[in-house]
């Protein structure tokens, strides 16, 4: 005989929204993730960010092998929504949520989550060929020419590690994780765990302060229109202060990450030590690559809406906080297809070569529900970063001078 599940109202569920007491809803089922949060592969904070909320769409968006994930969910199940309760919180537009979930089914039926492995192999080959050419030019012509190749390597490997980190290349998560370690740790010399820990918080709560670490510049810098008011308001809670503190903690690292990152420095010193000083060769590409990556990653978010938590539906959360850049062959290559940030944020595990195919469907859904689908030229987007920062600086200045 099947044991009947306990039933809960949204009012009951929303009370369990603290770090020490976390419930969330997925497909009308209620899960208590409090004790398991510390073992969550994406980090504890992602679950904390959704405690007391419906997590159906974000759960589907970020997980690849649902049959495997269900094995972890099953012991956490404590009940389901009461029969009279809607499938999402009452303040959300149920028709919009339903339409987005139908869109998800449509793009799945179109096989938009199937990766073209040749596409990704060519991108990996591009990086490895540039690595070899950088080594050859160093030995033939000196470090100056090698610098250009290394900038291209670090930027393009950054885009490819982004694909692997989002599990969008292989059907099995373990192969994506392995490639991610190779690209992020071995080729770039950075921690893959650190990237996961920060980046997935950014994805699930995009431009939501203080949950999105990409806009959390405190205590010295603030972004967005609301933050000057935030300074004048009540003191931040203890949890918010923790979120405002440094994100690069020892917990982000593992022995596996340390070994992989060590291989980057070992390879670097062995390969280039005979020809030049290590630091002189290592640092310039980093300094020159940084503006490239910063502009590409921030042009789609910094000029867009930022707010404190408003618990919107998944589609509205991403579209209001994200914009696209016009498509061209150069823009696709220069941004690693992050010129389609809206589609990427809605479907993070989708291979990037399919973004342009689903963009018209997303645009149509946005038009139906009155959401502005922003698509702009790249140079305009670059200028919007500066204009947005200038506006934030003026608000920041006014807030501090008045306190």
């Amino acid at each position: 005989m099947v044991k009947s599940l306990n039933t809960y109202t949204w009012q009951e569920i929303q009370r369990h929204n603290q770090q020490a007491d976390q419930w969330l809803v997925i497909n009308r089922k209620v899960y208590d993730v409090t004790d398991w949060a510390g073992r969550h592969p994406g980090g504890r904070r992602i679950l904390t960010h959704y405690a007391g909320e419906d997590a159906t769409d974000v759960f589907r968006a970020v997980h690849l092998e649902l049959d495997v994930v269900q094995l972890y969910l099953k012991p956490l199940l404590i009940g389901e929504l009461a029969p009279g309760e809607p499938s999402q919180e009452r303040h959300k537009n149920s028709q919009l949520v339903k339409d987005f979930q139908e869109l998800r089914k449509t793009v799945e039926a179109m096989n938009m989550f199937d990766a073209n492995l040749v596409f990704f192999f060519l991108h990996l080959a591009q990086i490895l060929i540039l690595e070899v050419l950088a080594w050859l030019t160093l030995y033939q012509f000196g470090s100056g020419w090698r610098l250009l190749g290394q900038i291209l390597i670090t930027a393009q490997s950054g885009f490819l590690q982004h694909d692997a980190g989002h599990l969008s290349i292989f059907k099995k998560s373990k192969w994506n994780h392995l490639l991610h370690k190779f690209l992020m740790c071995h080729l770039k010399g950075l921690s893959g765990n650190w990237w996961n820990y920060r980046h997935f918080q950014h994805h699930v709560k995009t431009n939501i302060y203080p949950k999105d670490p990409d806009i959390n510049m405190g205590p010295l810098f603030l972004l967005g229109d609301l933050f000057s008011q935030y300074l004048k308001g009540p003191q931040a809670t203890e949890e918010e202060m923790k979120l405002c503190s440094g994100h690069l903690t020892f917990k982000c690292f593992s022995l596996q990450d340390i070994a992989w990152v060590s291989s980057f420095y070992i390879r670097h010193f062995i390969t280039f030590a005979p020809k030049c000083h290590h630091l002189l060769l290592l640092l310039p590409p980093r300094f020159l690559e940084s503006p490239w990556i910063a502009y590409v990653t921030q042009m789609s978010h910094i000029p867009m809406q930022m707010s404190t938590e408003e618990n919107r539906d998944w589609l509205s959360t991403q579209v209001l906080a994200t914009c696209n850049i016009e498509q061209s062959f150069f823009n696709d290559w220069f941004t690693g297809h992050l010129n389609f940030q809206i589609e990427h944020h809605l479907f993070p595990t989708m291979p990037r070569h399919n973004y342009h195919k689903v963009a018209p469907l997303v645009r149509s859904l946005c038009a139906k529900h009155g959401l502005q689908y922003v698509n702009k030229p790249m140079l305009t987007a670059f200028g919007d970063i500066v204009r947005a920062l200038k506006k934030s600086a003026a608000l920041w200045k006014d807030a501090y001078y008045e306190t």
Side-chain angles (χ1 to χ4, degrees):
M1 182 176 179
V2 179
K3 182 181 178 181
S4 62
L5 293 172
N6 294 329
T7 59
Y8 300 98
T9 65
W10 276 111
Q11 186 176 12
E12 292 173 299
I13 293 166
Q14 289 166 345
R15 288 197 291 264
H16 300 271
N17 64 347
Q18 305 298 320
Q19 184 169 328
D21 183 17
Q22 303 180 44
W23 291 10
L24 50 80
V25 177
I26 300 172
N27 293 319
R28 297 190 61 87
K29 296 293 189 290
V30 182
Y31 298 91
D32 183 349
V33 299
T34 308
D35 295 332
W36 189 77
R39 303 194 299 275
H40 182 237
R44 172 188 295 274
R45 285 183 179 175
I46 289 181
L47 298 182
T48 303
H49 294 343
Y50 268 89
E53 300 179 14
D54 175 50
T56 301
D57 290 329
V58 64
F59 171 82
R60 186 65 190 90
V62 300
H63 292 104
L64 183 63
E65 298 175 271
L66 292 184
D67 53 339
V68 175
V69 180
Q70 290 294 340
L71 298 177
Y72 291 92
L73 276 180
K74 190 174 181 180
L76 309 177
L77 180 65
I78 59 171
E80 61 185 355
L81 288 171
E85 293 292 315
S87 296
Q88 61 283 319
E89 297 91 326
R90 294 183 183 278
H91 69 276
K92 293 180 179 177
N93 184 335
S94 59
Q95 187 60 51
L96 187 155
V97 172
K98 181 180 178 181
D99 286 349
F100 175 75
Q101 291 173 351
E102 287 299 319
L103 173 62
R104 172 90 196 190
K105 293 177 182 177
T106 298
V107 298
E108 286 176 349
M110 294 168 61
N111 297 320
M112 290 294 98
F113 291 90
D114 292 346
N116 182 342
L117 294 183
V118 174
F119 172 90
F120 288 108
F121 172 79
L122 291 176
H123 276 274
L124 178 60
Q126 170 194 215
I127 294 167
L128 298 179
I129 290 170
L130 285 170
E131 177 76 14
V132 173
L133 290 176
W135 183 84
L136 292 174
T137 53
L138 172 66
Y139 276 78
Q140 290 295 322
F141 307 108
S143 59
W145 286 100
R146 187 260 179 188
L147 181 63
L148 176 60
Q150 192 62 32
I151 295 169
L152 295 175
I153 292 166
T154 51
Q156 290 299 322
S157 60
F159 297 140
L160 192 57
Q161 71 81 24
H162 180 263
D163 298 316
H166 276 295
L167 313 177
S168 65
I169 301 177
F170 301 108
K171 291 291 187 182
K172 294 292 184 181
S173 297
K174 65 179 181 180
W175 297 116
N176 287 297
H177 291 315
L178 180 61
L179 181 59
H180 187 238
K181 293 293 185 187
F182 172 75
L183 293 164
M184 190 63 166
C185 302
H186 180 69
L187 289 186
K188 291 184 68 67
L190 298 173
S191 167
N193 283 3
W194 165 82
W195 184 87
N196 285 331
Y197 183 73
R198 287 180 58 93
H199 193 67
F200 283 105
Q201 289 185 75
H202 160 69
H203 262 269
V204 302
K205 291 294 184 180
T206 308
N207 279 12
I208 302 299
Y209 182 84
K211 296 179 179 180
D212 181 355
D214 282 11
I215 66 166
N216 191 346
M217 303 290 129
L220 297 179
F221 302 102
L222 296 172
L223 300 173
D225 294 353
L226 294 181
F227 299 159
S228 61
Q229 299 301 317
Y230 183 84
L231 284 173
K232 301 174 188 177
Q235 293 296 313
T237 65
E238 180 181 356
E239 180 59 25
E240 287 172 337
M241 291 301 291
K242 289 178 181 177
L243 289 170
C244 288
S245 63
H247 300 285
L248 185 57
T249 64
F250 183 75
K251 291 181 180 179
C252 295
F253 293 93
S254 65
L255 291 177
Q256 188 181 58
D257 258 20
I258 292 172
W260 273 104
V261 172
S262 298
S263 73
F264 165 82
Y265 289 99
I266 293 170
R267 175 178 60 86
H268 177 83
F269 291 146
I270 291 175
T271 305
F272 302 111
K275 294 296 292 184
C276 54
H277 299 295
H278 302 157
L279 286 179
L280 292 179
L281 194 62
L282 182 63
L283 295 180
R286 302 282 183 173
F287 286 126
L288 295 175
E289 175 212 8
S290 294
W292 181 353
I293 298 300
Y295 268 83
V296 166
T297 56
Q298 298 308 312
M299 64 184 177
S300 296
H301 296 302
I302 292 293
M304 301 301 288
Q305 179 174 314
M306 299 180 188
S307 66
T308 52
E309 180 62 79
E310 297 179 355
N311 189 13
R312 297 189 185 96
D313 61 89
W314 180 245
L315 176 65
S316 300
T317 296
Q318 302 304 332
V319 172
L320 291 173
T322 312
C323 69
N324 280 4
I325 308 304
E326 293 177 351
Q327 185 185 21
S328 70
F329 178 82
F330 175 78
N331 285 359
D332 289 351
W333 176 83
F334 186 79
T335 66
H337 290 84
L338 293 180
N339 49 332
F340 287 96
Q341 279 276 22
I342 294 175
E343 288 69 31
H344 169 60
H345 268 254
L346 291 174
F347 309 109
T349 61
M350 180 179 289
R352 56 166 140 147
H353 53 72
N354 287 333
Y355 293 158
H356 73 281
K357 299 176 184 177
V358 303
L361 300 177
V362 175
R363 186 192 291 267
S364 177
L365 181 58
C366 289
K368 177 181 178 179
H369 290 280
L371 291 170
Q372 186 178 12
Y373 182 99
V374 180
N375 188 39
K376 63 181 74 170
M378 184 181 292
L379 292 180
T380 300
F382 285 172
D384 284 346
I385 296 176
V386 178
R387 286 184 281 272
L389 292 176
K390 183 178 180 181
K391 183 178 180 181
S392 294
L395 292 169
W396 178 90
K397 179 181 177 182
D398 290 344
Y400 270 98
Y401 270 104
E402 292 177 15
T403 56

